[in-house]
Amino acid sequence: MTFSEQRTERAFDARPVLADKDARTLARDVLMMSQDEFSAARALHVLGPSRARPSLPIENPGLRFRCRPPRPHRPMTDPLRETLQASLGQAYTLTAELGGGGMSRVFVAREEALGRDVVVKVLSSEVAEGLSVERFGREIRLAAALQEPHIVPVLAAGVTTLGMPYYTMPFVQGASLRDRLTQGPLPVDEALALLRDVAQALAYAHARGVVHRDIKPENILLSSGTAVVTDFGIAKALQVSRTVDADAADARGITRTGTSLGTPAYMAPEQAAGDPATDQRADLYAWGVVAYELLTGQHPFAARTSPQQLLRAHLTETPAAFPATSTVSSRIAALVLQCLAKDPDDRPASATAVLQQLHDGQRRTDAAPVQSRVPRRIAAAVAFVLLALVATGMWWRGATRDATTATGAPAPVMMAVLPFEHAGPADQQPFTDGLTDAVTSKLASLSSLLVIDRRSAATYRGTTKPAQQIGKELGVRYLLEGVVRWAKDGAGTWRARVTPTLVDTKAGTIKWTGTPVDVTLDDPFTAQGSIATDVAQAMEVAVLPVERAKLTTRFTDNPQAFAAYQRAQEMINAAARTSNFTTAPANGDAIRELNTAIALDSTFAEAWGALARQHWVAAVNFFGDSVDIARSREVVNLALRRAPSEPSAILAAALWAWHVDRNRPAAQSLVSTALSMSRNDAATLATASDLLIFWSPDSARTLAVRAAQLDPRSGRNLDRAARQSLTSRRWVDAGRFGEALVTLDSADERGWSILLSLQVLRGDTTAIEQLSTRVKQNIRKTSAQLACWMSYGSTQSSAWYLGLPAAEQGLSSLIDSVSYYDCKTDAAVRVSGTADGRANSDSIIALLSPSRLSSLPTPPWSHELTILAYAYANVGNKSAAQALATRIIAEGRRMEGQDSLPSTFDADGVASVYAAIGDTASALRWMRVGLRQGYSVRWYKMNPRLRPLHGTAAFERFVRENDR
C-alpha cells in the first residue's frame, strides 16, 4: 500500500470516531499530496459532496479525477504501531494516535514510570529509508538540549526494530494556533503576545545554532495562554541525515528530506530555492508570514492556492501593506513586512532584534498620552506621602531592588547562573558542571552583583519553567544560561565551545548573547574568566579594579586539582541535600578529594578553605566517634597559613577560636575579616551567622536571611534563617521560613521540625497534633528528633514515641543519641511519672562521660551539658546537677564578657534543673529569663520537667502574673 493510500485509510477510518473537521483535515492533506486517483477519490469521499473541492485551501491542478466508488471498508492491522510499541517496551504504552504529517505518524503514549502522557513521533519508512539513523540521532540530541519555556523539548529518541527513528516530547494540553485561527480573528494584543512567545523561542534556539525551518501555525501550540513551538531542530536533523543513497531513494519515489524541507505556505524564498546557505533568517521570514496572517486575518499570498503558486509568490511577489483600518501600530506593521523581505540581508539581523522591535513598537503604543483623572491636589499629597515614606525608610524595600540604595550607590543586581547545558559525552558532564560553578564564583566576587548560590541554581537543571517564573522563585532580574557543545578535533582531543546567554526575567527576553568561547580539558580557566568578564560588561555593572583582577585570576593552574576540588564540592552538596549534617562517610570522601587537590597544587586557596571547613564539620558533628580532633585543628591552622585570604579558612579558624578556645575577640575579628572579603557569598554569610548568634543575634539573623535570599532553594539556609528568627524571638518570620522549607520539599524534616518547635515554645498542643498529622502524610519514617517534637502533642503521642526503638532511629552521632534519650525522659514523665524517665537519664550519663565531655568542641552552656545536669537531677544526684548548673551559668557570663548571658543561654533548661533538685526560687528566676527569650507561660505549664513546681503557690502566682 502506498503512503497516500495509508494516509487515506487513516482519514477514512477516522470518520466514525473523530470530529468531522479532524477527518477532513487528514483528507485535505491526502488530496494535496495525492499522486494516484484512488487516494484522491477516497479523500473526496471523506470530505463529502457538499464541501469537497470548493472548500479546499490548496488544489492539485495536475490531478485529473476519475471518481470511482470507494473500496469497501475493511479492518486493517497496524504493523507500524505494533512495531513501535514493541520497541518502546514496558516503559511506554501507546494510547491514541494524533495523526501526523507526510513524514511521520504521531501517537500519545503513557510514560509508566512518571505517570504522564508524552507524544511519540515516528518517521515513516519512506523517510527513514533515506536517512543515516546515527546522524539523525546526533542531531536530535542537539535539539534535546533546547530548554526554553516556549519550546516543546525533545525528551528521548530511539530507533524501532525495523530501523525507523522516533522521538518523544511532552504532551501539551491545548490546541494549535491553526485550530485557534479557525475560530476567527485574534485580538491584536493576544496575537502580539503569541508572536512574542514564538520570537523568544527562536531567539533562544538560534543562539544555540538550531534553526527550525518549518515555523507555521500547526507547529505552534497554545498552552495556558502562551505559545510553545514544537519540532525544533527536526527539519535540520532530516536534512543533514540524508545519506549518499538518498538520490537513489528519490528515484524510487521516496520523499526527499533535503533541499526544500518545509511547508510551501510558510517557506522563505531561499529555502524554496534550495539554497544550501539557508540560515536562521528563514525562520524570521516564516515568523513574518504567521504574524501577517494573525494581524491582518489572511495569508500574505491568500490568492495563491497550489504549492507551486505559493513558492513562486514567495520568490517574486511583494505582500500588500497592512490595511489602513488596521489597529496594528505602524512600527509593528513595518517589522512584519521587514521580516518578509526577499533578501535575507534585508530582514532583521536576529530574533533578538525582532523581540526588541516588538517591545519598542508595543511600548510606543502603550505610551500614548492619557488625560489624568486624579486631581492635582491628591496627586501632590500622594507624592508627599511617598517622599516621606522613602525619607523615613518605610518604603517597601522589595520595590527598590532595581533602584538605588539610601547612600545613592546603585543597588546590587540579582542574578542566577543556571546549570550550563551539556551537549556532549556523559563523562564530560562534571567538566561542564565545574565550568558553571567557576563562573558563578567569579561573578559572586563582584560587589555590584548578588548571585544566587550554585546549589539553588542547580535545582533548575533541565527545567522547562519560564524565565519569568524562575526569576520570581529566585528573586532575580537576570539568568545566565550557557550551552557547552563537545567535539573531538583532528588530533582526537576533546574540545568544547561555550555559548553564554543573558536573559532578562522581567521582560522575558534575551538581553545578550555572548561570543562563543572555546575551551579544552587542559585549560578550563581561561574560559571561566572570559565569560564572567563578558557577562559583567553586558550587565553594565560597576567592577572595581581589584574585582576585575579576580575575574581573570585562575583558581589553580592544575586541571586535575580543579577536578578533584569539584568532585569534593559535589559530594558536600549532595550530602547537604539529604540531611542536616554531612554524614561521616561522605565527609571523609570529600576530605580525601580535597587532599588530592592540595597534593596536586599546594597553593590552591579554595581547596584549602574547603578542607578546613570539612575538618571542622568532622570535629563538631562526629566528636566521640572516630575523628581525630587534634588533626582537625592542625589542618584548620595550616589552611589559614596557606590561604590567609580565603573566607572558608578564616571562618573555620573563627569557629575554633570561639567554640574551643573560648576566645571571643579573636573570633569576632576573624568573622569581620571574612565578611569584608566575601559579603555576597551564601556560604560565608551562613557560617558567619552561626557564629554571630552567640554575641549579636540580630546581626546573625540578618546574615541568615541574606544567605537564604542568595540560596533560596537551600533547605539548610532556610532552616538557618528560621532558627535564627526563633532565637531572635521573631515568631512570624520563623514560621514563614519554616513554611517555605516545607513548600520547597515536604519530605525535608527540617521545615516540619521548625514549625513543631515553634508550637512547642508556644505550648499549643492542638497545633502540635495538627502539624503531626501533616507530617505523617508527607514523611514515611520520621527521625528521632522530629518524632520528639511530635511527642509533645498529647499523652498518646508521648506513648507512641516511647515505643520507638533506638536501633531504628538512625542515631549516627553522640548528639543524636543524647537527644533521643533526653526526649524519651520527657515522654516517660508525661505518660507515667518521673520514675519512668530515670532509665533514659542513666543512658545519658553513660554517653556523656567525662572523657567525651573533654573533647566536646562546643560552648560550656551547650544544650548537651544542660541535658546532663537534668539527668543527674532526675536520678537523684542533686549535688552533681547543682554543680553543673552553677558552672554553666558562670561560664556563660564569663564568655559574654560582662555580668549578663548570651542570647543562646538555655534558661529553660537551667530552670528545669533547679525544679528537679527542689530549688523553686532559682527555677522561677530562670523561668523569667526564659520569658524574655521567647518561651511562653503555656510552655511552662506543659513542660514535664517543671511538674515539681505545679500546684505550688509561687508557680501559680507566676502563671497569673505572666499569662497574658
Side-chain angles (χ1 to χ4, degrees):
M1 181 179 292
T2 67
F3 170 77
S4 295
E5 288 180 312
Q6 291 179 0
R7 181 83 165 163
T8 304
E9 292 293 339
R10 289 207 304 278
F12 192 80
D13 293 345
R15 286 195 307 165
V17 295
L18 294 179
D20 194 32
K21 68 173 184 178
D22 296 319
R24 295 201 306 275
T25 299
L26 290 171
R28 287 188 178 114
D29 290 347
V30 172
L31 186 59
M32 188 174 67
M33 296 182 295
S34 291
Q35 299 299 317
D36 64 282
E37 297 173 351
F38 164 71
S39 296
R42 191 81 160 149
L44 289 171
H45 184 79
V46 171
L47 287 167
S50 64
R51 52 178 182 266
R53 295 188 63 178
S55 64
L56 293 179
I58 299 176
E59 298 180 351
N60 189 337
L63 183 65
R64 296 293 180 264
F65 296 108
R66 190 178 58 205
C67 296
R68 58 186 176 185
R71 297 175 183 174
H73 174 70
R74 60 183 185 277
M76 296 181 62
T77 60
D78 192 342
L80 184 145
R81 178 170 181 158
E82 294 172 358
T83 300
L84 179 59
Q85 181 63 78
S87 302
L88 293 171
Q90 297 181 349
Y92 300 90
T93 301
L94 298 178
T95 58
E97 182 170 3
L98 295 179
M103 295 182 293
S104 67
R105 286 177 65 182
V106 184
F107 298 90
V108 177
R110 188 70 172 173
E111 187 175 4
E112 301 298 343
L114 299 179
R116 64 178 179 181
D117 288 333
V118 299
V119 170
V120 184
K121 289 195 175 186
V122 58
L123 300 184
S124 66
S125 57
E126 292 91 340
V127 173
E129 188 174 344
L131 293 182
S132 163
V133 173
E134 181 181 357
R135 292 181 196 169
F136 183 80
R138 187 164 58 244
E139 290 296 324
I140 284 292
R141 284 193 291 274
L142 292 178
L146 298 178
Q147 299 290 332
E148 204 278 338
H150 302 298
I151 294 177
V152 181
V154 174
L155 299 176
V159 181
T160 70
T161 54
L162 296 181
M164 290 179 287
Y166 67 85
Y167 55 96
T168 67
M169 299 184 297
F171 178 75
V172 178
Q173 293 284 356
S176 71
L177 181 56
R178 175 62 69 204
D179 296 329
R180 173 63 183 85
L181 285 172
T182 62
Q183 300 172 14
L186 278 72
V188 171
D189 288 345
E190 180 182 348
L192 287 174
L194 298 179
L195 290 171
R196 191 178 296 110
D197 291 344
V198 176
Q200 177 70 54
L202 292 175
Y204 176 89
H206 292 170
R208 288 150 181 81
V210 179
V211 181
H212 194 288
R213 299 171 187 258
D214 197 17
I215 293 293
K216 58 183 178 183
E218 288 78 1
N219 281 338
I220 300 171
L221 308 181
L222 307 182
S223 176
S224 302
T226 63
V228 290
V229 183
T230 188
D231 281 351
F232 248 109
I234 304 304
K236 181 185 177 184
L238 290 171
Q239 183 183 48
V240 302
S241 303
R242 290 189 67 239
T243 66
V244 293
D245 297 327
D247 290 333
D250 290 342
R252 297 194 302 274
I254 297 174
T255 303
R256 179 168 181 165
T257 61
T259 48
S260 58
L261 275 173
T263 302
Y266 300 89
M267 194 176 291
E270 66 274 19
Q271 195 176 359
D275 186 349
T278 296
D279 59 17
Q280 63 187 31
R281 291 170 295 184
D283 283 350
L284 301 186
Y285 184 92
W287 180 91
V289 178
V290 174
Y292 191 100
E293 191 170 1
L294 291 184
L295 297 174
T296 68
Q298 62 179 358
H299 190 278
F301 306 117
R304 308 293 178 250
T305 54
S306 71
Q308 294 82 0
Q309 291 174 345
L310 282 168
L311 294 177
R312 190 179 304 113
H314 286 308
L315 288 166
T316 61
E317 297 181 16
T318 301
F322 275 55
T325 57
S326 174
T327 58
V328 178
S329 72
S330 59
R331 291 170 66 90
I332 298 295
L335 169 63
V336 173
L337 294 177
Q338 183 186 4
C339 288
L340 293 175
K342 305 302 181 188
D343 189 338
D345 290 337
D346 294 334
R347 299 171 201 155
S350 66
T352 302
V354 171
L355 276 171
Q356 186 61 51
Q357 292 185 54
L358 274 174
H359 175 70
D360 292 344
Q362 185 71 9
R363 183 174 58 186
R364 181 66 62 86
T365 301
D366 295 341
V370 179
Q371 180 65 38
S372 173
R373 299 181 181 180
V374 181
R376 290 187 178 183
R377 285 184 301 169
I378 297 178
V382 170
F384 176 82
V385 171
L386 292 180
L387 286 172
L389 289 173
V390 173
T392 57
M394 296 173 60
W395 187 244
W396 181 39
R397 285 181 295 173
T400 62
R401 179 173 296 159
D402 298 323
T404 58
T405 64
T407 62
V413 178
M414 291 285 292
M415 71 170 299
V417 182
L418 298 188
F420 287 176
E421 297 174 26
H422 179 75
D427 59 349
Q428 302 300 346
Q429 178 74 56
F431 185 93
T432 299
D433 294 340
L435 183 62
T436 305
D437 289 350
V439 172
T440 302
S441 297
K442 295 283 187 185
L443 291 171
S445 68
L446 302 180
S447 58
S448 53
L449 282 179
L450 291 179
V451 182
I452 294 298
D453 188 271
R454 57 183 175 272
R455 285 162 292 195
S456 277
T459 62
Y460 292 90
R461 183 187 302 277
T463 185
T464 58
K465 291 182 178 180
Q468 292 95 327
Q469 182 179 349
I470 298 175
K472 183 177 181 180
E473 291 178 0
L474 292 178
V476 300
R477 174 66 186 272
Y478 296 105
L479 298 176
L480 177 64
E481 301 173 343
V483 178
V484 183
R485 289 190 173 85
W486 290 86
K488 284 186 176 180
D489 59 16
T493 302
W494 280 111
R495 294 182 178 275
R497 172 160 289 184
V498 187
T499 306
T501 304
L502 194 64
V503 180
D504 186 333
T505 65
K506 190 174 183 179
T509 60
I510 292 177
K511 176 180 175 65
W512 165 83
T513 298
T515 303
V517 179
D518 292 329
V519 61
T520 60
L521 291 173
D522 59 354
D523 181 19
F525 311 112
T526 303
Q528 298 167 1
S530 175
I531 294 172
T533 301
D534 289 347
V535 170
Q537 292 176 348
M539 297 182 70
E540 300 176 345
V541 295
V543 180
L544 302 175
V546 66
E547 295 174 338
R548 192 175 303 280
K550 285 184 179 180
L551 291 179
T552 57
T553 300
R554 295 167 177 253
F555 290 97
T556 173
D557 288 325
N558 190 309
Q560 289 75 30
F562 185 74
Y565 171 77
Q566 287 299 136
R567 289 193 297 270
Q569 290 297 325
E570 180 53 38
M571 293 173 184
I572 295 168
N573 294 340
R577 289 192 293 268
T578 57
S579 63
N580 267 329
F581 300 109
T582 305
T583 61
N587 194 67
D589 291 341
I591 287 176
R592 279 189 287 276
E593 290 289 356
L594 291 168
N595 279 325
T596 298
I598 290 170
L600 292 168
D601 182 1
S602 62
T603 65
F604 193 170
E606 286 78 7
W608 277 112
L611 183 64
R613 173 65 182 175
Q614 293 316 115
H615 268 281
W616 167 258
V617 169
V620 73
N621 289 339
F622 312 118
F623 71 90
D625 295 334
S626 59
V627 175
D628 187 339
I629 302 299
R631 174 57 181 162
S632 295
R633 173 65 173 271
E634 179 184 341
V635 170
V636 169
N637 289 335
L638 179 60
L640 189 59
R641 292 196 300 271
R642 294 294 183 88
S645 299
E646 176 57 34
S648 295
I650 296 170
L651 287 173
L655 289 164
W656 278 94
W658 173 247
H659 289 296
V660 182
D661 299 337
R662 319 290 196 241
N663 189 338
R664 174 172 165 177
Q668 287 178 309
S669 176
L670 288 166
V671 169
S672 297
T673 301
L675 288 174
S676 68
M677 293 179 173
S678 183
R679 293 185 177 276
N680 296 332
D681 176 67
T684 300
L685 295 171
T687 305
S689 173
D690 289 341
L691 283 160
L692 285 172
I693 192 65
F694 293 105
W695 59 76
S696 182
D698 288 338
S699 297
R701 178 188 170 277
T702 299
L703 293 182
V705 170
R706 192 174 184 188
Q709 178 191 24
L710 290 171
D711 197 6
R713 310 292 288 181
S714 164
R716 178 171 293 184
N717 279 325
L718 288 173
D719 176 57
R720 177 180 288 103
R723 287 187 288 105
Q724 307 294 47
S725 296
L726 280 174
T727 303
S728 299
R729 277 81 71 188
R730 294 175 178 264
W731 310 125
V732 174
D733 288 345
R736 177 168 58 88
F737 284 115
E739 288 289 357
L741 188 48
V742 167
T743 301
L744 177 67
D745 183 1
S746 62
D748 188 329
E749 291 192 353
R750 290 171 296 189
W752 298 112
S753 182
I754 289 293
L755 296 177
L756 281 165
S757 64
L758 180 59
Q759 298 308 324
V760 169
L761 287 174
R762 290 171 169 169
D764 191 340
T765 54
T766 301
I768 294 171
E769 286 293 286
Q770 293 174 344
L771 278 170
S772 297
T773 300
R774 292 174 62 190
V775 169
K776 293 174 181 178
Q777 292 171 346
N778 287 277
I779 298 179
R780 184 177 61 85
K781 183 178 180 181
T782 59
S783 68
Q785 180 59 62
L786 184 62
C788 175
W789 293 122
M790 296 165 65
S791 72
Y792 285 93
S794 63
T795 303
Q796 292 79 8
S797 296
S798 297
W800 163 75
Y801 186 77
L802 286 174
L804 299 177
E808 297 180 7
Q809 296 310 301
L811 306 177
S812 60
S813 71
L814 179 63
I815 294 176
D816 288 342
S817 299
V818 169
S819 298
Y820 168 73
Y821 286 112
D822 183 56
C823 192
K824 291 196 80 168
T825 301
D826 274 9
V829 172
R830 286 195 299 271
V831 172
S832 303
T834 305
D836 289 340
R838 289 179 179 175
N840 295 303
S841 294
D842 286 334
S843 297
I844 292 170
I845 294 170
L847 286 169
L848 292 177
S849 62
S851 61
R852 282 183 169 173
L853 285 177
S854 65
S855 66
L856 185 65
T858 51
W861 60 81
S862 70
H863 186 54
E864 287 72 31
L865 287 178
T866 309
I867 288 174
L868 179 59
Y870 180 77
Y872 278 129
N874 201 41
V875 299
N877 191 342
K878 295 184 178 181
S879 61
Q882 173 78 57
L884 264 180
T886 302
R887 175 189 166 192
I888 291 169
I889 295 168
E891 287 291 327
R893 284 177 170 152
R894 184 181 68 83
M895 290 299 296
E896 186 65 10
Q898 53 188 349
D899 190 20
S900 61
L901 290 164
S903 62
T904 53
F905 184 87
D906 190 1
D908 177 68
V910 172
S912 298
V913 173
Y914 281 113
I917 65 176
D919 187 345
T920 301
S922 295
L924 290 171
R925 184 169 65 252
W926 290 109
M927 287 165 60
R928 291 186 180 91
V929 175
L931 286 177
R932 293 197 296 272
Q933 290 184 334
Y935 289 94
S936 66
V937 171
R938 290 183 66 182
W939 160 246
Y940 288 140
K941 291 166 66 175
M942 67 176 281
N943 184 354
R945 302 190 181 201
L946 297 180
R947 282 193 178 183
L949 303 180
H950 291 189
T952 66
F955 182 80
E956 297 303 326
R957 184 168 57 253
F958 173 89
V959 170
R960 288 194 303 272
E961 291 174 352
N962 297 284
D963 192 9
R964 300 181 179 91

